[in-house]
């Protein structure tokens, strides 16, 4: 399998993951410093999932995201400056400051929006997939959702319709073991969300969500299957969020042990990929550091752009309600 | 066609709906109909009958019983280039997909900073009077009119049904077309050609000198009956059908009240918290000095819709109740 | 297995089924004669399911029903007179005429109502089961729903919660192959709704819904399992409705072939049971006819009661809105 | 206790909620709390903190993210003998379970001919101003007030929060307690003992001679500020907090308007189709001859709630906008 993956693709995966990581680390700090208003749900720890899936998609392929959506947009090609501007509520943001972190989107990149409603994405993605086929394109839709979201009726109805119509959509479940502060064992009686696939007549696949290459390969198969018109797949990625549900420290609740967090951090998806890249002499530790530094500079410039950007004018309040 | 113009064509409300949808499917290549039992059965009220045969399975789709999924599919397809006509079999089921309607469909464009269009037309069936009890008889348009981002129309005639459906489908926003199940057999003139009834324009269906009745959907006809009965009290009532409830044509209504000095609003929905409250509030805000009496309201009583015809007969507003309310208001 | 079932139980099953059949045949005629207002969804053909499940339940065990609910109420012990009175919209009906066919209920019999909302029942049944356990009783809840209802989000959420809390509830799916005029193959990509059970951590069982004894045995196990506190079961009964979705002839649509209907009618659950009863010399054809005649008389009396009952007074309109 | 009476105890709104729920769990053995992250986390706003420790896992339950399932469970448990306290984390999610609310919870008793009781108390969090954008900031009480069978309260102080929660939980009907996230830290007197604020009774929080402001929830405090500023215009405003929106204490409001002759209604919800319309319509119906000016309304503009604080600041009504509206209304 791994034979298939080119060095270039491996470097691409790495770059997308580092971009997400550094963007999120910075956003988290800015939020705790009170510079970014509202709520931020950081994607740190789950980077391999967004990167592994998005590498297969073009701008005409659609994704729907979640409240934890920065990583998805970055992996889909989102620009740091317009993203930070949006988080700051500035007029130069992707949504002119009207959406913020929970609704950030980029239609031109095929990113149908983060979503403040858990389970809000799957039905929209089914619609995008339906639309791609109706308009006779070969585009696919990927919908990201969490283990918690898999208990929403909206997921069920969307999955059933996708299976029924054999739509080109991939249901990417990012199972990070928790819905807010509730562990999976306390929100569903199953271990693998993928077990639900059979009930919709679609294959269910479980993959190590900390291994970017594993996600890349499994997502590739599911996406190709969808493009071939063979229907949807439920791809479950076992992953973990390194920070709290909201922000970095969040509410400071003890709903998971430091041990558990530490154990998962040992499998930091970026560390794992960099080790592999070094081992195969594709990217040396120094070169890796250079990538981080380069991205860090980009992020700093983007933050500066956001901070110097204008706030929306009051008139904007009543604009964009209707077309 | 020439013939049709010579002797204007009459159709029942149900066929006018079909005709409107047919026109939309003809003129918009990215339009399709989707909903429960809309294709094979042509809807349980038959208003899509023939469309599957005419346009084929690529343009009209039966779905599972999954209102959330259906409405979400409509929103996702619309945002990505289609113009879905979504069927919600009974308006009573709107609670099943109110999140997709109010949090996704209505807000996506705004939340996205204007970077999305949601041209979704939703057809749904409201109305009591068919002994279908509490969960198949409601008129819930007030919920929709309180949600920025949505438009709402309620056709009261076959002519309006076709014209409003076409206007709704040509609009680039989510528009709800709220139909009434008790009017399906009512016939009226429906031209063959495509025509639009502009959204946001009220229709003065009866001109009058000294009283204004604002009535929606089925109540328009009860209002017209009431207007006849009110002549006996020297009341020459003007009857206005807003046709579009959101955006609302306040101008036409206020102009009428400034002329007549007295007004009543009637709808089939529950009176408390119904759209009549908004209309009454607007009238007194904009025509206060012209009013000789408080704006009266007639609507359903504060209870679920009862099954028994013996009770339902007292539930649905009608001409008699309109007349009684006017007399109470004016002390006649 | 069959050894377990006593002659008395077999006769009980038969009696409940005949009661349903004759009530429904009569109600259908009365509706077509315009005597019963509104919509009737007849249970004819599915009698074995209601009977086979209800034989295991007492009045303190709860059931939730559907728009096709007469059979469930009759099997649970519903009185013909108050039922017909309700269908007629009379003050003497189970709901004082306010509910009608789609909302008929009998709390004293543990019948939590027919439901005009497809998928409305399962969450209520989960609540009843939760309540039974919370109040430290050993009662169970059974929720009846159709193949079409299994695509509603409400079913999914209820099933997941039941599996999670290991509640004493049995999900009885009456798979009659259609949701209104849409065949199962056109509303879900699976053949057995029971395949969804695994996704909720509960056992899924498929049984011949035309065989009252088979339903009786499978339901018995599921209900005992629930009473023992071992959690929910998804019990799928393959059955068929002999008449149209609404009424007898209904809309007269050709969504299923006469052949198909004929083939299923050959497996008429009452005929099957009567053959077995005759074979084992438990009930002769003459005795069976006597049961039918007896029930027919009861039905006639109940109709007379309903027709001579008073309509609700107008004041009743605003009563019972609040406690 | 003696002490507490000596120096009345002060608590923040968030703790008053906890105190009210604690009281209910103490006095009602069949009451339990159920919702998303209510047990382990004590809710994302912390208002159930300590209850798991105090009452144990038999009385407070975390759920999956399944609003339909949760609300349906509440209805089913209530109909069969329990008195559930259901938590709906954000009022914005009400669309997810509007069918269970409007078609089951609200109608079961009526559809069943009075043979069921549905003593469910729903706590939910409304309100904008926290930069949570369009899907975590709404006030949708108008939807609920249009549904016969439901009751709705909106506490504006810690004292009312506790008293209304206790009254709601003692009531045998479904009662929605709509909280406001921006008031959680506000402190006020909250007696230790159990007390009820009777449902359906408005509170005159400020008496005045010549103007009536009806304000709900957080807007009560903006109205009080506005009342101070209005003194400069010789306006001595009476401020009324209905506290319960359904059933609504029309009597108290109308009596006030008959005294003051001028009125304004303010709420945080979208103005169009908000409950202010119903209140304004009722006032002009019942006090028309006493009104010197049309009943004015202040509410949120007709748009989703924007994320950017720069825009949200113009979205949420406040004292300044109330004063401006009064001046416009009276031409001051
Ligand atoms: C319909 C709805 N219910 C509840 C919430 C509150 N909420 C926000 S995130 C979240 C947890 C989601 O868990 P999961 O789907 O596993 O995603 P994760 O946060 O773990 O990435 C909840 C309950 C919401 N936003 N929407
Ligand atoms: C929420 C909702 N959606 C749609 C309907 C309309 N409807 C009534 S019965 C029915 C079919 C139900 O199919 P199934 O669950 O298989 O039950 P069956 O009628 O076959 O017994 C539909 C779509 C409804 N009553 N409620
Ligand atoms: Mg999660
Ligand atoms: Mg079926």
């Amino acid at each position: 399998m791994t034979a298939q993956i080119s060095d270039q693709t491996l470097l691409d995966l790495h770059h997308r993951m580092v971009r997400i990581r550094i963007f999120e680390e910075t956003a988290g700090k800015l939020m705790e410093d009170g510079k970014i208003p509202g709520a931020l749900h950081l994607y740190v720890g789950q980077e391999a999932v967004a990167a592994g899936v998005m590498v297969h998609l073009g701008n005409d392929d659609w994704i729907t995201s979640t409240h934890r959506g920065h990583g998805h947009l970055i992996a889909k090609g989102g620009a740091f400056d317009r993203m930070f501007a949006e988080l700051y509520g500035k007029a130069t943001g992707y949504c002119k400051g009207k959406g913020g972190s929970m609704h950030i989107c980029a239609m031109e990149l095929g990113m149908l929006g983060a979503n403040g409603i858990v389970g809000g994405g799957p039905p929209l993605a089914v619609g995008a997939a339906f639309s791609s086929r109706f308009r006779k394109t070969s585009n696919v839709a990927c919908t990201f959702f969490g283990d918690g979201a898999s208990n929403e009726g909206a997921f069920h109805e969307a999955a059933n319709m996708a299976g029924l119509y054999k739509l080109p959509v991939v249901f990417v479940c990012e199972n990070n073991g928790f819905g807010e502060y509730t562990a999976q064992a306390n929100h569903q009686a199953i271990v693998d969300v993928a077990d639900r696939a059979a009930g919709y007549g679609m294959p269910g696949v479980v993959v190590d969500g900390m291994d970017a290459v594993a996600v890349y390969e499994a997502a590739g198969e599911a996406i190709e299957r969808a493009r071939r018109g063979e229907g949807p797949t439920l791809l479950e990625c076992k992953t973990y969020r390194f920070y709290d549900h909201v922000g970095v420290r969040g509410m400071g609740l003890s709903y998971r042990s430091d041990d558990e967090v530490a154990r998962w951090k040992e499998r930091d998806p970026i560390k794992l990929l960099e080790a592999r890249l070094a081992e195969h002499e594709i990217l040396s530790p120094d070169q890796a550091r250079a990538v981080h530094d380069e991205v860090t500079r980009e992020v700093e410039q983007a933050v500066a752009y956001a901070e110097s950007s204008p706030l929306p004018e009051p008139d904007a309040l009543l604009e964009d309600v209707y077309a | 066609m020439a013939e049709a113009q010579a002797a204007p064509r009459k159709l029942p409300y149900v066929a006018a709906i079909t005709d409107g949808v047919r026109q939309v499917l003809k003129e918009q290549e990215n339009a399709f109909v989707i909903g429960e039992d809309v294709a094979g059965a042509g809807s349980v009220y038959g208003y899509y009958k023939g469309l599957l045969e005419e346009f084929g399975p690529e343009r009209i789709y039966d779905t599972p019983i999954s209102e959330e999924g259906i409405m979400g599919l409509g929103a996702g397809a619309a945002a990505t280039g289609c113009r879905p006509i979504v069927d919600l079999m009974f308006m009573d089921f709107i609670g099943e997909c109110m999140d997709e309607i109010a949090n996704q469909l209505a807000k996506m464009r705004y939340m996205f900073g204007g970077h999305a269009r949601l041209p979704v037309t939703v057809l749904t069936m409201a109305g009591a009077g068919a002994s279908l009890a509490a969960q198949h008889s409601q008129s819930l348009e007030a919920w929709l009119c309180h949600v920025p981002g949505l438009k709402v129309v309620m056709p009261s005639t076959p002519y309006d049904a076709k014209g409003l459906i076409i206007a709704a489908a040509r609009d680039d926003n989510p528009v709800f077309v709220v139909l009434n199940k008790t009017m399906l057999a009512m016939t009226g003139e429906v031209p063959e050609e495509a025509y639009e009834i502009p959204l946001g324009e009220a229709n003065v269906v009866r001109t009058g000198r000294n009283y204004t009745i604002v009535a929606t959907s089925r109540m328009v006809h009860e209002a017209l009956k009431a207007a006849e009965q009110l002549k006996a009290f020297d009341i020459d009532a003007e009857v206005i059908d807003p046709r579009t409830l959101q955006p609302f044509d306040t101008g036409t209504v206020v102009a009428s009240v400034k002329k007549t000095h007295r007004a009543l609003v009637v709808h089939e929905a529950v009176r408390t918290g119904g759209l009549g409250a908004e209309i009454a509030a607007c009238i007194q805000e904009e025509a206060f000095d012209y009013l000789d009496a408080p704006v009266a309201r007639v609507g359903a009583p504060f209870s679920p819709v009862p099954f028994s015809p013996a009770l339902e007969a007292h539930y649905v507003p009608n001409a008699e109740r309109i007349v009684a309310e006017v007399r109470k208001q004016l002390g006649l």
Side-chain angles (χ1 to χ4, degrees), chain A residues 62 94-96 99 103 105 107 112 115 117 123-124 127 130-131 134-136 154 157 160 165 317 319-320 322-323, chain B residues 32 58 61-64 66 68-69 72-73 76-77 79-80 82 99 104 109-113 115 117 149-150 173:
Chain A
W62 293 98
Y94 268 114
C95 309
K96 304 181 189 166
H103 306 294
C105 80
M107 297 297 284
L112 208 36
N115 210 309
I117 297 297
L124 299 177
F130 186 98
S131 170
F134 182 89
R135 292 178 295 105
K136 310 231 180 322
E157 297 187 5
N160 181 64
Y165 299 135
L317 178 63
E319 291 164 4
D320 303 321
Y322 292 95
Chain B
F32 60 86
E58 302 259 290
Y61 298 84
D62 281 326
T63 65
S66 306
E68 276 189 84
L73 185 154
T80 56
C82 294
D99 184 76
Q104 313 294 347
R109 178 176 177 79
Y110 189 84
M111 297 187 299
F112 294 1
H115 298 303
R117 282 173 190 277
L150 304 179
N173 298 287

Side-chain angles (χ1 to χ4, degrees), chain B:
Chain B
M1 288 296 266
E3 263 184 350
Q5 270 135 18
R9 179 181 69 158
K10 283 193 184 278
L11 286 183
Y13 191 93
V14 64
I17 298 168
T18 320
D19 207 35
V21 174
R22 175 184 295 111
Q23 180 59 41
V24 173
L25 290 175
K26 270 193 204 155
E27 70 182 30
Q28 299 179 6
E29 63 173 14
N30 283 349
F32 60 86
V33 177
I34 190 161
E36 296 162 13
D37 291 296
V38 297
S43 104
V44 296
Y45 284 111
Y47 51 81
Y48 296 119
K49 275 231 161 57
L51 297 183
L52 176 62
E53 294 67 19
E54 185 175 348
F55 295 94
E58 302 259 290
R59 304 296 298 283
I60 180 160
Y61 298 84
D62 281 326
T63 65
I65 310 171
S66 306
E67 291 76 15
E68 276 189 84
I70 297 163
M71 199 59 66
L73 185 154
T80 56
C82 294
R83 304 185 68 86
I85 297 173
V86 173
D87 189 84
L88 180 62
M89 192 185 289
F90 284 84
M91 188 172 210
D92 307 70
F93 310 152
I94 201 165
E96 297 277 3
C97 47
M98 206 58 196
D99 184 76
E100 281 67 28
I101 292 170
N103 280 333
Q104 313 294 347
L105 197 51
K107 295 179 171 57
M108 279 169 75
R109 178 176 177 79
Y110 189 84
M111 297 187 299
F112 294 1
H115 298 303
R117 282 173 190 277
L118 282 302
V120 178
T121 300
V122 180
L123 265 59
T124 190
M125 191 59 67
S131 308
L132 291 177
Q135 294 172 341
H136 287 72
S137 307
Q138 299 169 81
S139 295
L140 297 167
E141 63 276 7
W143 286 0
L144 297 171
C145 294
H146 189 44
V147 181
L150 304 179
K151 295 186 180 183
V152 184
V153 303
M154 285 183 101
S156 64
T157 65
Y159 182 88
D160 288 358
K162 177 175 176 177
L164 286 169
I165 285 169
I166 292 172
R170 288 178 182 172
D171 194 274
D172 277 341
N173 298 287
V175 184
F176 282 73
V177 181
V178 183
L179 307 163
N180 185 294
K181 61 178 74 74
T182 65
M183 293 197 292
L184 292 169
M186 168 193 301
T187 62
E189 274 186 33
V190 179
E192 304 252 356
E193 67 272 17
Y195 59 93
E196 249 186 82
I197 291 176
L199 301 184
E201 281 187 21
N203 183 21
V204 180
V205 294
R206 184 186 196 279
T207 55
R209 278 182 302 103
N210 56 13
Y211 200 90
T212 299
I213 302 178
V214 180
T216 62
S217 188
R218 175 185 176 186
M219 288 302 119
V220 171
H221 308 286
E222 295 301 320
L224 288 168
K225 276 189 229 151
E228 289 309 308
Q229 298 174 29
L230 286 168
K231 284 183 185 165
F233 303 92
D234 294 326
I235 292 175
D236 174 21
E238 185 148 286
V239 177
I240 300 176
D241 174 1
R243 297 189 297 195
T244 304
L245 302 189
Q246 186 61 262
F248 191 82
D249 183 355
T250 312
T252 298
V253 170
V254 168
S256 173
V257 175
K258 285 182 174 175
K259 175 179 73 175
T260 65
H261 306 298
R262 298 173 300 185
L264 175 145
V265 187
V266 54
H267 54 55
E268 201 187 311
V270 168
R271 183 182 189 275
T272 304
L275 199 70
E278 176 66 33
I279 298 169
C282 286
I283 291 174
Q284 61 94 41
E285 279 160 10
E286 304 200 15
F288 186 75
D289 297 333
Y290 297 81
L291 283 173
D292 294 343
V295 182
R297 290 183 293 153
V298 172
F302 203 62
S303 83
V305 181
F307 162 69
S308 182
L311 295 175
E312 197 176 23
H314 298 278
Y315 184 88
V316 184
N318 57 25
E320 289 58 44
R321 279 178 51 202
I322 295 169
V323 170
E325 188 63 32
V326 172
R327 294 181 61 182
K328 186 165 135 250
Q329 170 195 31
L330 306 180
L332 301 170

Side-chain angles (χ1 to χ4, degrees), chain A residues 15-322:
Chain A
H15 190 232
R16 295 186 200 228
M17 289 164 71
V18 171
R19 288 178 65 81
I20 296 171
R21 176 67 56 91
I22 295 174
F23 179 97
E24 290 291 67
E25 297 280 3
T26 309
K29 280 195 205 69
L30 291 167
M31 178 197 172
E32 302 229 320
D33 297 350
K35 292 208 171 165
I36 291 177
L40 285 193
H41 303 88
L42 301 176
Y43 196 72
V44 175
Q46 307 183 195
E47 294 89 348
V49 181
V53 172
M54 246 60 89
V55 162
H56 299 283
L57 305 178
N59 289 349
D60 296 339
D61 294 312
W62 293 98
I63 66 164
T64 65
S65 176
T66 68
H67 54 287
R68 199 173 302 288
H70 309 163
H72 302 134
L73 177 51
I74 293 168
K76 198 84 167 56
F80 285 168
D81 50 4
R82 296 186 63 191
M83 285 185 71
F84 272 116
E86 189 58 35
L87 301 192
Y88 272 80
K90 297 299 184 78
T92 54
Y94 268 114
C95 309
K96 304 181 189 166
K98 291 177 178 178
S101 168
M102 269 194 286
H103 306 294
I104 196 159
C105 80
M107 297 297 284
E108 66 278 18
L109 299 175
M111 201 288 200
L112 208 36
N115 210 309
I117 297 297
V118 168
L124 299 177
V126 164
F130 186 98
S131 170
S132 295
R133 186 164 73 187
F134 182 89
R135 292 178 295 105
K136 310 231 180 322
T137 73
S138 63
N139 298 121
V140 302
C142 293
T143 178
F144 295 84
F145 62 99
D147 50 301
S150 73
N151 298 325
E152 282 283 11
F155 159 73
H156 177 70
E157 297 187 5
N160 181 64
M161 292 175 83
L164 173 67
Y165 299 135
K166 280 188 165 297
L167 292 174
V169 54
V170 179
F171 292 80
V172 183
C173 180
E174 301 189 67
N175 184 347
N176 60 11
F178 293 85
E180 282 192 351
Y181 312 101
T182 301
Q184 184 189 8
N186 297 326
H187 71 61
Q188 54 191 198
I190 53 174
V191 172
D192 294 335
V193 174
D195 290 350
R196 293 189 169 167
Y200 308 116
M202 67 174 82
V205 180
V206 179
V207 64
D208 176 0
M210 306 310 258
D211 178 344
V213 176
V215 173
Y216 166 84
E217 288 169 348
E221 285 180 35
I223 289 166
E224 277 323 305
R225 183 168 185 279
R227 284 200 206 282
R228 287 195 305 270
E230 292 166 24
T233 301
L234 172 46
L235 174 61
E236 176 181 11
C237 307
K238 306 283 193 183
T239 180
Y240 204 77
R241 63 170 154 72
F242 289 176
Y243 295 135
D244 197 55
H245 169 64
V246 184
V248 179
R249 269 175 266 91
M251 293 172 70
L253 296 168
S254 59
Y255 58 97
R256 52 186 201 180
S257 71
D258 298 348
D259 276 18
E260 181 180 304
V261 179
R263 254 181 288 110
W264 277 94
K265 283 188 174 173
E266 281 164 22
R267 304 204 59 250
D268 181 323
I270 294 179
K271 281 203 210 130
L272 291 185
L273 183 59
E274 288 182 349
R276 178 196 183 107
L277 288 167
E279 186 191 329
H280 292 67
E281 292 175 346
I282 299 166
L283 189 76
S284 72
D286 286 353
Q287 291 169 308
R289 206 166 305 108
V291 173
H292 287 253
D293 296 344
E294 165 61 25
V295 171
T296 302
R297 273 190 298 281
E298 264 187 80
V299 164
E300 283 161 1
Q301 284 161 15
V303 171
Y305 172 85
E307 296 194 339
S308 63
S309 286
L311 289 165
E313 293 298 326
D315 294 354
L317 178 63
L318 293 176
E319 291 164 4
D320 303 321
V321 179
Y322 292 95

